Amino acid sequence: GQSLEQPSEVTAVEGAIVQINCTYQTSGFYGLSWYQQHDGGAPTFLSYNALDGLEETGRFSSFLSRSDSYGYLLLQELQMKDSASYFCAVRLRAGSYQLTFGKGTKLSVIP
Amino acid sequence: EAGVTQFPSHSVIEKGQTVTLRCDPISGHDNLYWYRRVMGKEIKFLLHFVKESKQDESGMPNNRFLAERTGGTYSTLKVQPAELEDSGVYFCASSQTVQEPQHFGDGTRLSIL
């Protein structure tokens, strides 16, 4: 089976930096995506890593190490509106475009 | 640009009844995906359309589920007859090409009583 592990909950202070980790054990790997979901809303695409290294998009960065089957999402200068659930998702192989999701990390930003 | 639209936002039906969910993808997006999240579990893939053709339906749980995308525009997902374990949130997503990120709708929350 496919397994993506991420912490269920994380709490951080407004203005701080938080890192959400994702480790995966899958039968294949063709890229790691991150999605944000506010309560009752649509999962919103944040970033995608196909190769090792860091991708930066504004306050959000995502990192991938394929040799360690590991990635993380880094959120800087946290704002209250960043309180949401964050999901990592793996694309398993080149010919398949379905995403396999982790269970999500609920981030709470406190004043 | 309008996002992915799903209808209804909520549906409550009794076991054994039929329900049809609808998804309108972003205009011009050939790729349409259905996912669902049952309580306490992860979001799971159901199937993928390219235009009107089913590209991958490996995630469909059983033959009580029927997805269609006539004309390659909007899609419907019918559950007939509904069972208790079908309760959950059904998401639709679309992308212009398979290489681009998938954009999700708000989902349909389905409750089977």
Side-chain angles (χ1 to χ4, degrees), chain A residues 2-57:
Chain A
Q2 319 298 341
S3 170
L4 282 79
E5 297 294 330
Q6 47 181 134
S8 58
E9 294 183 10
V10 172
T11 299
V13 178
E14 189 177 15
I17 298 172
V18 71
Q19 179 174 312
I20 299 174
N21 298 321
C22 174
T23 57
Y24 56 90
Q25 288 185 313
T26 55
S27 56
F29 180 84
Y30 204 71
L32 182 70
S33 298
W34 288 93
Y35 282 80
Q36 176 193 61
Q37 185 187 26
H38 288 96
D39 281 347
T44 303
F45 173 79
L46 293 176
S47 68
Y48 175 71
N49 295 71
L51 302 175
D52 291 352
L54 192 68
E55 294 282 342
E56 297 181 72
T57 309

Side-chain angles (χ1 to χ4, degrees), chain B residues 80-92:
Chain B
Q80 178 182 32
E83 298 290 343
L84 297 178
E85 64 265 24
D86 301 333
S87 294
V89 182
Y90 289 75
F91 291 104
C92 175

Side-chain angles (χ1 to χ4, degrees), chain A residues 35 42-43 97-99 103, chain B residues 35 37 45 56 58 102 105-106:
Chain A
Y35 282 80
Y97 305 101
Q98 61 176 271
L99 295 175
K103 288 190 177 181
Chain B
Y35 292 84
R37 188 179 192 192
F45 169 82
D56 179 357
S58 61
Q102 297 177 24
D106 287 342

Side-chain angles (χ1 to χ4, degrees), chain B residues 23-37:
Chain B
C23 170
D24 286 75
I26 294 172
S27 178
H29 281 196
D30 288 339
N31 296 275
L32 187 149
Y33 313 81
W34 283 98
Y35 292 84
R36 76 171 177 179
R37 188 179 192 192

Side-chain angles (χ1 to χ4, degrees), chain A residues 9-20 36 38 46 57-61 73-86 105-111:
Chain A
E9 294 183 10
V10 172
T11 299
V13 178
E14 189 177 15
I17 298 172
V18 71
Q19 179 174 312
I20 299 174
Q36 176 193 61
H38 288 96
L46 293 176
T57 309
R59 294 188 297 114
F60 294 0
S61 303
L73 180 70
L74 191 74
L75 296 82
Q76 303 182 72
E77 300 172 18
L78 279 174
Q79 302 176 8
M80 300 299 290
K81 67 179 182 180
D82 297 329
S83 293
S85 291
Y86 293 83
T105 298
K106 186 177 174 78
L107 171 64
S108 298
V109 180
I110 58 175

